[in-house]
Amino acid sequence: MSRFWSDHVADLAPYTPGEQPGISDLLKLNTNEHPYGPSPRVVDAIKAATDDRLRLYPDPAATALREAIAALCDVEADQVFLGNGSDEILAHVFNGLFRKAGRPLLMPDISYSFYRSYCRLYQVPHEIIPLAADFSIRVADYTARRDVPAAGIIFANPNAPTGIALGLAEIELILKANPDSAVVVDEAYVDFGAQTAIPLLARYDNLVVIQTLSKSRSLAGLRVGFALAGKQVVNGLLRIKDSFNSYPLDRLAQVGALAAIQDTAYFEQTRQAVIAAREQLVARLTVLGFDVLPTLANFVFARHPAHSALSLSQALRERHILVRHFRQERIEQFLRISVGTPGECERLCNALSEILNKH
Ligand SMILES: *Cc1c(COP(=O)(O)O)cnc(C)c1O
């Protein structure tokens, strides 16, 4: 540890993203990026905005983009909060909503691992609640009466890395049982088949829904996410944001994201293509002997009863195919595999078939 560091730096547990190595015939199925590029209209809009205006600061409120998202989601523009990727929004949420002495944050043991990193960074008291044996979120664990209400509850829906989704009625039970806790539903993968909680916003002022353009709109490189919540919650997040960086979305990100939101036809077509490829991938992996959790995301979470996940991931790596393996209790026998194009899924399954036959 360096003598220049502030005291808390050594104790942080930074998030480890999937690797991005520069191998030429690499098949990257390890970070849940979209296999098709973004809408061509996004690229056109960014090109058209790439000029002298870059000397000017962007609109700090990103008004045009917020209004487009509000129209898409049928909420008011002042219920929309934007961030440089939804990870940044999550950081503000942990900082702004979950730091309450004596009132823990509740979250599943298996979920997006960044949540734990933010707990460390912002010293959020938290209680880890194990998923059920089938890796689903057990709603009753979040609806039991507590003497002191939790500061908040956070989970991804569909959950990551399991891909398993809760239905709207189950989310509503959690909201209803926790009127004094901020309930944050991270919907990074919701466009691939799960139900969004957005319609519940009108009735529950404790709900925060977070979405991203990184996955279903194929814009991981642009860094745009948004949260939807009641106006009071959004105002709290704005106070945090404007105490941190009042221009989180640059000019190009704002116009590119706006074009992506507007191109509904392209969005629909590419997300349906991913859903169809996922169903085929699940079927092929099942034939190869894998147990595949029921997924509504753009990835599958699968284990083979006769082969260690670590050795499978290494054998795939030798064939220049990257998948994600987590060295974490309960899930170390699983591989998380992003859904690629049908051709990419084919290459993956052929490689797996060869590896399984050899050992
Ligand atoms: C990918 C992902 C995010 C982060 O998305 P960005 O908008 O790219 O920061 C958030 N939550 C979950 C569960 C994710 O998988």
Side-chain angles (χ1 to χ4, degrees):
M1 143 166 190
S2 161
R3 69 185 193 284
F4 302 113
W5 291 2
S6 298
D7 293 340
H8 72 292
V9 176
D11 292 331
L12 296 179
Y15 176 74
T16 320
E19 54 182 332
Q20 303 275 5
I23 304 173
S24 61
D25 67 335
L26 188 70
L27 175 49
K28 268 189 89 285
L29 301 175
N30 65 331
T31 49
N32 299 341
E33 288 143 333
H34 200 295
Y36 302 104
S39 157
R41 292 201 208 164
V42 170
V43 181
D44 291 345
I46 291 173
K47 281 184 183 156
T50 306
D51 57 25
D52 281 354
R53 285 171 294 174
L54 284 175
R55 74 188 174 82
L56 300 171
Y57 280 105
D59 173 5
T63 309
L65 177 57
R66 266 191 316 120
E67 286 175 350
I69 291 171
L72 178 80
C73 300
D74 201 17
V75 298
E76 307 281 328
D78 54 9
Q79 292 184 268
V80 182
F81 179 79
L82 294 165
N84 193 256
S86 56
D87 285 340
E88 186 187 84
I89 296 173
L90 287 166
H92 293 333
V93 161
F94 276 70
N95 195 1
L97 304 181
F98 295 158
R99 296 175 71 178
K100 294 195 170 156
R103 294 179 53 187
L105 166 69
L106 313 184
M107 60 183 183
D109 59 341
I110 314 288
S111 198
Y112 188 37
S113 58
F114 225 136
Y115 303 154
R116 294 194 196 214
S117 301
Y118 288 134
C119 282
R120 284 275 180 98
L121 177 61
Y122 292 117
Q123 300 182 350
V124 170
H126 57 281
E127 229 175 273
I128 303 276
I129 301 187
L131 295 179
D134 65 358
F135 296 98
S136 63
I137 288 175
R138 219 176 354 225
V139 171
D141 291 343
Y142 297 86
T143 56
R145 261 195 68 84
R146 307 174 67 91
D147 293 338
V148 184
I153 295 171
I154 191 167
F155 53 88
N157 196 48
N159 198 11
T162 63
I164 298 173
L166 288 179
L168 221 50
E170 295 171 295
I171 291 176
E172 182 160 13
L173 288 175
I174 295 175
L175 287 164
K176 212 179 256 177
N178 296 278
D180 297 315
S181 312
V183 177
V184 179
V185 185
D186 179 351
E187 297 190 335
Y189 302 102
V190 78
D191 293 325
F192 299 107
Q195 283 178 293
T196 177
I198 291 173
L200 298 175
L201 283 166
R203 276 182 289 133
Y204 294 94
D205 66 354
N206 54 332
L207 172 62
V208 181
V209 175
I210 302 180
Q211 294 194 1
T212 175
L213 276 66
S214 294
K215 313 279 167 51
S216 59
R217 302 199 190 248
S218 194
L219 285 172
L222 204 63
R223 313 304 303 130
V224 183
F226 60 90
L228 306 174
K231 291 168 197 180
Q232 291 194 5
V233 169
V234 168
N235 280 338
L237 295 176
L238 287 171
R239 289 171 71 87
I240 296 272
K241 166 200 157 248
D242 289 329
S243 305
F244 175 77
N245 174 8
S246 39
Y247 303 103
L249 286 197
D250 61 67
R251 284 179 166 271
L252 304 183
Q254 290 187 28
V255 297
L258 178 60
I261 294 292
Q262 288 170 338
D263 196 348
T264 49
Y266 184 88
F267 167 70
E268 198 53 40
Q269 184 195 332
T270 47
R271 103 189 158 98
Q272 293 299 346
V274 170
I275 291 170
R278 175 187 70 208
E279 297 310 304
Q280 285 202 339
L281 177 61
V282 170
R284 280 234 30 211
L285 290 173
T286 307
V287 169
L288 289 172
F290 283 88
D291 298 327
V292 187
L293 297 190
T295 177
L296 286 178
N298 67 337
F299 57 82
V300 301
F301 203 49
R303 69 181 153 195
H304 199 286
H307 295 267
S308 102
L310 183 60
S311 64
L312 287 177
S313 73
Q314 284 165 347
L316 285 170
R317 197 170 204 295
E318 285 163 18
R319 290 160 174 81
H320 294 175
I321 299 173
L322 297 187
V323 299
R324 194 87 199 263
H325 173 252
F326 298 92
R327 289 170 200 257
Q328 188 189 340
E329 224 183 302
R330 291 189 79 188
I331 57 170
E332 65 249 320
Q333 282 317 319
F334 281 89
L335 295 176
R336 192 197 69 190
I337 306 172
S338 310
V339 176
T341 63
E344 289 170 344
C345 294
E346 176 83 12
R347 179 172 157 198
L348 167 85
C349 291
N350 291 343
L352 280 172
S353 168
E354 192 186 296
I355 294 162
L356 295 177
N357 283 331
K358 247 193 205 159
H359 294 277

